[in-house]
Amino acid sequence: MRPSAGSQAARCGRVDPDSAGRRTRATVNSPIFACMSRIVTTCRRRPVYGHPDRRASSRRSGGAATAHRFEESRVARVDCDVLIMGNGIAGNLAAAWFTRHMPALRVDVVGPAARTLPIVGESLVEFSTQLLQEVGLGRHLVEKQLPKYGLTFYYKLDPSIPADPRYVVDAVPTNPPLPSFLVNRFTLDDALRQLNHDNGVEHVDGKVVRVELGSGAQHGVVVRRSNGTVRTHTARWVIDATGRRRLLARQLHLGDTATYQRSSFWFRLADFDASILDRIDAVTSDTRRPDAYYAAHHFFGRGNWLWLLPVRAEQSRRMMSVGLTCRPDLFPVAVRSIPEFLVRMTREHPILGDLVRSGIVVDTNLYRNYMYRARQRYSSQGWFLIGDAADTVDPLYSTGLALVTMAIQQVGAIVHRDLDGSSTARYVSTLDRAYAGFLGLGEGQVARLYDVMQAGYQCRLRMHLHVVGFFHMALPLLLNGYHADAVGAAMMARLGRPAHGLGRQLTDFEPLIARAAARQPSRSVRDGVRVQSALALNHSWFEHRRDDEIPRSLFRMFRHLVALRLALMWMAGVRSWLDPVQLRGLLRSFLWGLAVGALGRRSLKRSRLTRWLFTSGHGDAPPPFASRDPTRAERTR
C-alpha cells in the first residue's frame, strides 16, 4: 500500500499544525510568511492535479478522499499524476480516457513524435467503438472513417481442390445491433493526438531509457528527449504502452511465451478494381445484408487466413488493407514480399491475385513469430502494462483494440480506487486474472482454429461457437463493466480458466465436430450452421443492453450449447453417446443453464449466488506470480 499523506509529510519535514507550538503557528500566520507563500505559489509550475482551467470543477467533485490524494501528490512533488510511455494508439487512447473520466489528473505522454512502428488497418468491434465515442471521437468515426457491416467469411466449397474458385460466404443477415467502423489508423491516430492536445495532455518528444519504480507514491521515468537531453520525470502511476518494445515487461522479466506462434505479412493497396470482389463465385448469398463491400473480409486456407479491410484514404482514393496471418507450424512457407504473396495465395485464392494486380501497393510490413505473453500486467504499486506492451493477439476477430479498451478501463478503476483509498492488492490481482482469463479464452480458441481452416464444415461450426460465446457472454459483461468490478472480474477470471470455464466446454466440442464431419461425407460445407445467425448475434439482448438481462442471455447460450451438442452427438453416432467427455460437457451446460436461469432478472454482480460461486475459496486466490514482487526485485537489483 502507498504511504499515507501524514507519513509523507513527516519525511519531507512538514509541520503538523495540530501538534506545533504557539511560536510555529505565529510564524505561519505572520504577514511576511503569507506574502512569501503567495510568491512561491505564483512562481510554481502548473498544479500536479489538473490544469488551471479545470481546478474549480475538480475541487467541487473531488471529495475529501481525492483532496487527501491531492495533498499527498503535492508533497511528493511529482511532475504528473499519470505518465504514459508510448505515443501510439494504446497510449493516446489511455490519455484520452483519463482526461475524459478523471479530468483532475494531470496526464503526460512520452514517446517519439514520428511514427516508428508499422501500422495496420483496423477493424473495430462494438466495445472499442464505444470507448472512442466516449472520449469524443464519435463524429470523427462517422465523418472520416468507413462503416463496418459485420464480418464476412469465405470458405472453400471443396477443400480438396484449393484452386476451386467457389466459396460459401457467411455474412451478417442484417445491420449489426451496435455500430462499428473500418478505420484508417493514420487518420485515427492523428485525430486522437489532436484531441489529447486540445484537452491539455502534455506530450514529451523523446524515448524512455529506463523506469525507476518506487515503493511509495512516486516513480521515476528517465527520458532521453529528441534534443539529446536526459531528464527524469516523476509520476504517481506509470502505464507502459510502448508496444513491442515491452519496456517494463523486459525490465521486470515478466515475459512469457505463447503456445502457438503466428506470422503476418500485410500491405496497403490503393486504386484497385473493387468490382473484382463482386465476381466471387459465391454458392450462398443473402440479399438482406447491407453493402457487401463495407465489411471485414476473411478468406480461409490451409493453416492461414487473409483479411481485406476497406479504409478511407485521402483525396477520395480507394484503399484497402490486405494481409496474411498464418501459424508457422502449419504454414511453413515464409511470405515476405508481394511476389511471394501472389505466388502463394493465388494457389488457394486466385481471385485475390487479380485484385492485388489491379491496384498499387503503397507499403508492406512483416511480423514473424510475434506472439508473446506477460505473466503480470497490473501492480498495486502503481505500474501497468497495456496493449502490445503486455500481450499480442491474433487479428482474426479484431480484438486488439477491444483488449486495449478493457485494460484502460481496468487501470482507470484501479487508479480511482487508489485515489479514494479503497484499492487493495487482492482487487488488482483479480482484475489482472480477469484480463488473463478473457485473453486466454479467446486466443486459445483461435489458435486451434488454424487446424481446420481448410475444412469449411468444421471451421464454420467452431466459429459459430466463438460468436455465440462472444455475443452472449463476453460482450454483455464488458459493456456492463464486469471486468472492472470486484465480483464481476472474479467471475470472468473463473469462466476463462482452461480447465473449468467456458473454454473447456468449447474445447470439448472440437472432437465431436470432427467425428460429425467424418460421418457426413456427402454433407457439403454449405449445409453447415450459419456462423452469424440472429441467434448467435444475440439481437434480443442488444435491444436494451441491461445488466439484469444478462442471466437470460447466458441461459439462452447454455440452452443452445445443449441443443447443438445433442444434434452433433446424433450425427456422430453411438460412440459419442458413450463418450464421458461429451456427457460431462452436456451435463455441465445443462446445470449452468439452470443456475443462471434461476436468477431471473437480477444482476450477476449483486447476486449472493454469484458472490458465493466466484469470490469464495480459490476464486480469489492470488496468481502464481503474486508471491514474487517484481517491483521489489527490481529495486534490489
Side-chain angles (χ1 to χ4, degrees):
M1 297 299 294
R2 300 182 186 277
S4 63
S7 60
Q8 288 277 359
R11 287 197 298 270
C12 294
R14 300 180 73 245
V15 179
D16 185 358
D18 295 332
S19 60
R22 184 181 307 170
R23 182 176 180 180
T24 302
R25 285 196 295 269
T27 304
V28 172
N29 294 328
S30 65
I32 297 177
F33 184 87
C35 181
M36 293 298 297
S37 299
R38 189 173 304 169
I39 294 174
V40 171
T41 303
T42 304
C43 297
R44 185 178 295 167
R45 63 195 302 270
R46 68 174 180 168
V48 172
Y49 277 89
H51 306 285
D53 57 344
R54 294 203 296 258
R55 275 181 287 176
S57 61
S58 65
R59 289 196 191 101
R60 290 192 298 268
S61 61
T66 306
H68 172 79
R69 305 294 292 189
F70 283 7
E71 178 66 15
E72 181 180 350
S73 180
R74 187 182 67 82
V75 172
R77 297 182 182 276
V78 294
D79 295 319
C80 65
D81 302 307
V82 180
L83 190 146
I84 302 173
M85 302 181 296
N87 194 28
I89 189 169
N92 281 285
L93 193 57
W97 189 92
F98 274 101
T99 56
R100 170 66 176 83
H101 293 277
M102 298 182 183
L105 299 181
R106 173 178 169 178
V107 181
D108 288 357
V109 175
V110 179
R115 296 185 178 95
T116 57
L117 295 176
I119 292 181
V120 64
E122 192 73 54
S123 169
L124 299 181
V125 298
E126 295 79 2
F127 186 47
S128 52
T129 300
Q130 185 183 64
L131 183 69
L132 288 169
Q133 292 172 336
E134 284 181 5
V135 300
L137 289 179
R139 179 172 295 180
H140 168 83
L141 293 176
V142 174
E143 297 177 353
K144 303 296 183 181
Q145 308 294 346
L146 295 180
K148 171 189 168 186
Y149 297 119
L151 308 177
T152 302
F153 303 115
Y154 299 83
Y155 306 91
K156 302 297 294 187
L157 180 63
D158 190 347
S160 62
I161 308 177
D164 188 345
R166 296 175 297 169
Y167 291 91
V168 172
V169 181
D170 192 295
V172 291
T174 59
N175 284 327
L178 295 177
S180 56
F181 296 87
L182 300 163
V183 298
N184 186 326
R185 277 287 306 279
F186 291 90
T187 58
L188 178 63
D189 287 8
D190 291 341
L192 191 55
R193 290 171 181 171
Q194 184 62 43
L195 175 69
N196 287 335
H197 179 269
D198 296 340
N199 289 336
V201 175
E202 181 176 339
H203 172 243
V204 180
D205 185 7
K207 185 177 181 180
V208 177
V209 178
R210 67 180 182 275
V211 182
E212 299 171 349
L213 297 175
S215 59
Q218 179 173 323
H219 301 298
V221 178
V222 182
V223 179
R224 179 179 288 108
R225 300 203 175 197
S226 56
N227 58 9
T229 61
V230 178
R231 182 178 181 273
T232 300
H233 296 254
T234 57
R236 180 176 305 282
W237 298 281
V238 174
I239 300 176
D240 185 1
T242 55
R244 292 167 57 85
R245 190 183 175 198
R246 304 163 63 195
L247 189 67
L248 272 181
R250 296 179 188 274
Q251 180 175 322
L252 301 178
H253 306 285
L254 298 176
D256 202 356
T257 58
T259 305
Y260 297 100
Q261 276 299 334
R262 247 60 57 85
S263 296
S264 290
F265 172 80
W266 73 96
F267 54 92
R268 289 187 299 164
L269 186 69
D271 302 331
F272 55 90
D273 184 4
S275 63
I276 294 178
L277 294 176
D278 298 330
R279 299 200 296 266
I280 290 179
D281 190 358
V283 176
T284 60
S285 61
D286 195 336
T287 57
R288 296 173 297 167
R289 62 180 174 144
D291 193 327
Y293 176 74
Y294 297 105
H297 304 268
H298 302 71
F299 291 79
F300 294 97
R302 187 174 298 276
N304 70 90
W305 65 276
L306 294 98
W307 76 72
L308 304 179
L309 301 178
V311 295
R312 178 168 289 172
E314 299 80 6
Q315 301 176 353
S316 301
R317 297 181 68 189
R318 188 182 295 274
M319 185 172 288
M320 176 178 286
S321 172
V322 183
L324 162 74
T325 301
C326 65
R327 238 178 69 183
D329 58 320
L330 301 176
F331 190 83
V333 180
V335 176
R336 294 163 293 190
S337 63
I338 295 297
E340 293 178 352
F341 177 87
L342 291 174
V343 170
R344 184 65 184 177
M345 287 302 99
T346 51
R347 297 176 184 175
E348 293 184 326
H349 310 287
I351 195 168
L352 297 186
D354 298 337
L355 179 69
V356 174
R357 295 187 187 96
S358 69
I360 301 173
V361 176
V362 178
D363 52 19
T364 61
N365 298 281
L366 172 66
Y367 279 160
R368 298 191 63 184
N369 299 323
Y370 67 86
M371 298 295 289
Y372 51 81
R373 293 285 177 266
R375 295 194 304 273
Q376 182 179 358
R377 299 156 192 88
Y378 313 142
S379 170
S380 58
Q381 296 295 327
W383 54 264
F384 312 95
L385 282 64
I386 65 173
D388 288 352
D391 313 273
T392 49
V393 298
D394 193 292
L396 177 61
Y397 292 123
S398 305
T399 55
L401 275 184
L403 288 167
V404 170
T405 299
M406 178 180 178
I408 290 173
Q409 293 180 348
Q410 286 184 320
V411 171
I414 295 172
V415 171
H416 186 272
R417 287 202 175 200
D418 205 4
L419 283 170
D420 60 24
S422 62
S423 180
T424 63
R426 185 178 186 179
Y427 172 73
V428 175
S429 173
T430 301
L431 265 59
D432 200 339
R433 290 187 292 113
Y435 184 95
F438 186 82
L439 172 70
L441 174 62
E443 290 302 303
Q445 299 299 319
V446 172
R448 289 189 298 274
L449 187 65
Y450 282 82
D451 297 328
V452 296
M453 281 186 174
Q454 76 283 357
Y457 185 73
Q458 295 189 54
C459 188
R460 290 181 72 188
L461 273 172
R462 289 196 189 185
M463 295 183 70
H464 172 77
L465 292 173
H466 301 169
V467 173
V468 169
F470 179 76
F471 282 96
H472 282 77
M473 185 188 74
L475 190 55
L477 294 180
L478 291 174
L479 291 177
N480 283 277
Y482 276 67
H483 55 291
D485 178 79
V487 178
M491 182 178 68
M492 294 181 68
R494 181 75 68 88
L495 291 175
R497 286 184 175 182
H500 305 288
L502 181 63
R504 174 65 179 274
Q505 296 197 40
L506 298 181
T507 303
D508 291 344
F509 264 101
E510 295 173 2
L512 180 61
I513 292 174
R515 288 199 295 266
R519 289 180 60 87
Q520 303 291 330
S522 61
R523 179 179 292 273
S524 170
V525 66
R526 77 181 77 181
D527 299 325
V529 65
R530 287 185 60 88
V531 176
Q532 303 174 95
S533 62
L535 183 147
L537 296 177
N538 198 15
H539 283 181
S540 58
W541 183 85
F542 285 97
E543 290 182 7
H544 305 288
R545 292 181 285 168
R546 291 202 301 260
D547 183 21
D548 56 6
E549 291 187 354
I550 290 181
R552 289 192 173 187
S553 175
L554 295 177
F555 173 76
R556 288 191 296 269
M557 180 187 73
F558 287 115
R559 182 181 62 186
H560 179 65
L561 293 181
V562 169
L564 183 60
R565 193 184 295 269
L566 288 174
L568 291 174
M569 291 171 67
W570 177 266
M571 294 168 54
V574 179
R575 179 184 174 186
S576 297
W577 292 97
L578 302 177
D579 188 350
V581 174
Q582 302 306 324
L583 295 177
R584 184 169 56 248
L586 187 66
L587 179 62
R588 186 181 292 112
S589 298
F590 179 76
L591 294 178
W592 275 109
L594 288 180
V596 296
L599 293 175
R601 288 191 173 183
R602 280 182 286 182
S603 172
L604 291 175
K605 292 184 290 187
R606 299 175 178 85
S607 169
R608 292 183 179 180
L609 176 62
T610 306
R611 292 178 179 272
W612 177 76
L613 286 174
F614 297 106
T615 61
S616 61
H618 297 287
D620 279 337
F625 55 75
S627 59
R628 173 182 177 270
D629 185 355
T631 307
R632 182 174 301 173
E634 176 64 20
R635 292 198 305 270
T636 304
R637 286 195 297 272

